[in-house]
Amino acid sequence: QVQLVESGGGLVQAGGSLRLSCAASARTFSYSAMGWFRQAPGKERDFVAAIPWSGPNTVYADSVKGRFTISRDNAKNTVTVYLQMNSVEPEDTAVYFCAAGSRMTMSSREYNFWGQGTQVTVSS
């Protein structure tokens, strides 16, 4: 049963922008920290950004700091987490995964729920 659903991936030129979304049931994930990870072909899944269930704190991988912004909307029925990607680079090409866990962390092992992923391809 898929509980996290990503959308917004696609093909974008280097220097452009893209916004990813992740929709989740508020009943299950209102109090969950949410994270974005990415996996390029032949590479491990890497941390991108994370946000707690409330409050202003966020954390980013050094490779995306200053270019990507994570945010969330805790609506009544649906929690939506966004990843605004600006000034994208070919190195950002990967499948992007949304994840939910009990606390904000950079470790993928701390996240219990994962989406199916959405492909982002940046052309040079």
Side-chain angles (χ1 to χ4, degrees), residues 4-6 21-24 34-37 45 81 96-100 111 113-118:
L4 302 176
V5 180
E6 302 100 333
S21 300
C22 172
M34 305 293 287
W36 285 98
F37 291 77
R45 190 170 297 187
V81 180
Y96 284 70
F97 297 90
C98 174
Y111 292 86
F113 299 93
W114 293 83
Q116 297 296 306
T118 184

Side-chain angles (χ1 to χ4, degrees), residues 24-86:
S25 168
R27 181 184 303 178
T28 306
F29 297 108
S30 284
Y31 299 102
S32 294
M34 305 293 287
W36 285 98
F37 291 77
R38 66 186 182 185
Q39 188 167 17
K43 296 187 177 181
E44 295 185 351
R45 190 170 297 187
D46 291 332
F47 170 78
V48 176
I51 188 168
W53 74 272
S54 69
N57 294 331
T58 54
V59 61
Y60 296 93
D62 288 342
S63 59
V64 307
K65 202 172 294 183
R67 300 188 297 121
F68 292 8
T69 302
I70 188 171
S71 61
R72 68 186 290 163
D73 176 20
N74 292 331
K76 180 178 180 181
N77 296 316
T78 303
V79 172
T80 306
V81 180
Y82 302 99
L83 185 69
Q84 179 66 43
M85 305 168 61
N86 296 331

